[in-house]
Amino acid sequence: MRGPEESFRRARALRRNMTLPEVVLWMHLKGRQLRGLPFRKQHVHGRYVLDFYCAPARLCVEVDGAHHAREDRVRRDEARDAALAGQGLLTLRFDARDVLDDERLDGVLRRIGDVGEARLERGRA
C-alpha cells in the first residue's frame, strides 16, 4: 500500500538512523537469514513506517524503546496495530532491551520465525 510522500521521506531518514536494537535485529533478519523469511527494513505501508516487514507472511515486527511505555504512546501503538490488523497484517512488538540481550534475543528470533512460518503455512492452505 502506497503512503504519503512524507512517509517515504521519514522511512529514508529512519533507514539511515536506525537505533542500536534495530540494527541488531536487522543483522538477523536481512538476506532471508531467519528461516528464509524476506524482511524489509523501515517499510512504508500507507501512512505508517514499519520497523521490519515480511510481505509474504504479512508480518510486521516493531522494536519498542522506553518511550513506547508512555500511556499516550501505548494507545497510539494499539490503534496503529488495530488498523494494520484490519488490513490483514499482524504486528509483533518486542522491547528494545530484549533485542539487546543475547539470551532474550534468541527468544525474539524464535518467536518471529515461528509466527512467520505459521502465517506462510496458513496462507498456502
Side-chain angles (χ1 to χ4, degrees):
M1 172 181 283
R2 187 145 175 88
E5 186 57 36
E6 176 57 31
S7 295
F8 287 97
R9 279 194 294 276
R10 194 168 79 247
R12 279 190 292 275
L14 289 169
R15 280 185 209 110
R16 287 190 300 267
N17 299 299
M18 291 173 67
T19 65
L20 178 59
E22 289 171 339
V23 170
V24 168
L25 189 54
W26 180 239
M27 297 308 294
H28 295 276
L29 298 179
K30 71 179 181 177
R32 296 178 180 252
Q33 289 182 81
L34 183 65
R35 303 189 198 181
L37 296 168
F39 278 92
R40 301 177 194 152
K41 65 180 177 176
Q42 306 303 338
H43 174 75
V44 175
H45 186 84
R47 65 187 192 102
Y48 302 114
V49 179
L50 312 174
D51 287 348
F52 304 102
Y53 179 60
C54 178
R58 300 188 55 78
L59 176 64
C60 312
V61 177
E62 296 292 312
V63 179
D64 294 342
H67 64 282
H68 284 268
R70 292 189 344 237
E71 187 176 327
D72 63 320
R73 188 59 196 226
V74 169
R75 284 194 305 273
R76 201 162 105 200
D77 286 345
E78 288 171 349
R80 178 182 193 254
D81 294 351
L84 292 169
Q87 298 172 41
L89 279 65
L90 174 67
T91 302
L92 296 179
R93 291 188 171 276
F94 297 98
D95 190 289
R97 292 172 297 191
D98 292 336
V99 174
L100 293 175
D101 181 279
D102 287 339
E103 290 179 22
R104 291 184 288 190
L105 175 60
D106 287 340
V108 167
L109 295 170
R110 190 170 27 262
R111 175 88 172 124
I112 295 169
D114 289 349
V115 171
E117 285 181 339
R119 288 183 62 85
L120 284 177
E121 284 300 315
R122 266 194 299 258
R124 286 182 233 166

